[in-house]
Amino acid sequence: MPIQVANEYGNINVNDQVIAVIAGSAALDCYGLVGMASRKQLKDGISELLGQENLSRGVEVRRDHEELQIDLYIIVSYGTKISEVAHNVQNRVKYVLNDIVGLQVDHINIFVQGVRVTR
C-alpha cells in the first residue's frame, strides 16, 4: 500500500519499494557499512552481501497504525564501532527520507547480520 503525501497541487503516492531503495542508498553512504544483507539470513544462515542493484532487499518498510518503521539488515566493516555505525545509519536514513520524500520516520531498526574484513 503506497504512502500518500498531500500538497497544494494534489496527492503523491510513494510505493514502499521506492522508500526501501532510497533508505538502502542512504545507508550505503555511511562510513563503516560494507553493504546490505539479505533479510532471509536469519532463516538460512547464509551471509549474502548484496550489491548496488539489490538495495531494497536489505530493507523492510512497515506501517503500524500511523507509524512508519524501517528495518535495515546491514553488514559492517571489521574494526568499526558497531553502535556508532548503526547510529549514523539511522540518522542518515531518517534525514534523507525526510529531505527527499518528506516522510517522518518513527523507527529505524538496525539488524547487523555480519562483520566483513576489508582488504
Side-chain angles (χ1 to χ4, degrees), residues 63-82:
R63 283 186 293 270
D64 293 333
H65 306 292
E66 294 298 316
E67 289 187 347
L68 178 63
Q69 298 183 16
I70 296 177
D71 295 340
L72 294 166
Y73 297 83
I74 65 172
I75 297 174
V76 297
S77 176
Y78 178 79
T80 58
K81 189 172 181 181
I82 293 175

Side-chain angles (χ1 to χ4, degrees), residues 21-57:
V21 169
I22 293 171
S25 177
L28 280 180
D29 286 343
C30 294
Y31 175 78
L33 188 75
V34 176
M36 306 302 289
S38 172
R39 292 185 305 241
K40 298 175 188 168
Q41 180 184 358
L42 293 174
K43 292 179 184 174
D44 52 37
I46 299 170
S47 179
E48 178 185 352
L49 186 61
L50 302 174
Q52 194 78 359
E53 67 279 354
N54 295 323
L55 286 176
S56 64
R57 288 194 8 218

